[in-house]
Amino acid sequence: MERTRVAGIIFIDGKIALMHRKDVLKRPEMPEYYTIPGGGLEEGETEEEGVIREIKEEFGIKVKVIKKLYEIESKKFGQKEIFFLCEYESGKFGTGTGPEFSGDPKYIDSGKYIPELIKKEDIEKINLLPPEIKEKIITDLQRF
């Protein structure tokens, strides 16, 4: 079975919540980039439960899923990626305690994970992956 990655597009005070990845050793061709927060579904989890859990782990905040926005097939990573529009509910942004922050040696090549809020007008200027989702977000910004 292919892996399913769920991710949440969250706006807080007019800015988009992204994970800034720096010093990524396992991707020497791209050691720095931004991603939409998310991760793989756990057994028995719905897509919505997965995105809520991942955002809590990565950013330390509680969100409500509004709707599914995009779905893509990533042949490079052999996974389906589903992106949801989420609404911030509570919690202090940047207080995530997920495994990527634990100092676990299995994350050593993954570099730094830095939660950031990026102004809507700056999205075009950053290296946001995957590129097809960056384009969709830029196109759809007026709706958000």
Side-chain angles (χ1 to χ4, degrees), residues 11 67 69-70 85 120 136-137 139-144:
F11 289 94
K67 66 179 177 181
L69 288 178
Y70 317 120
L85 180 62
K120 288 181 182 182
K136 289 177 185 296
I137 290 172
T139 300
D140 292 340
L141 268 177
Q142 304 81 293
R143 291 189 317 161
F144 299 139

Side-chain angles (χ1 to χ4, degrees), residues 19 38 54 57-58 96-104 107 110-111 113:
M19 188 62 78
E54 284 288 342
E57 286 178 7
E58 293 188 12
T97 57
E100 52 276 326
F101 302 113
S102 68
D104 183 328
Y107 288 93
S110 297
Y113 290 76

Side-chain angles (χ1 to χ4, degrees), residues 86-133:
C86 297
E87 183 179 286
Y88 167 82
E89 288 193 319
S90 63
K92 185 172 190 281
F93 180 79
T95 59
T97 57
E100 52 276 326
F101 302 113
S102 68
D104 183 328
K106 85 175 194 182
Y107 288 93
I108 197 88
D109 291 343
S110 297
K112 296 181 188 81
Y113 290 76
I114 307 162
E116 290 186 16
L117 294 172
I118 304 294
K119 292 182 201 165
K120 288 181 182 182
E121 59 269 22
D122 291 340
I123 294 171
E124 290 184 49
K125 302 173 195 159
I126 63 172
N127 185 18
L128 176 59
L129 300 180
E132 58 267 41
I133 294 302

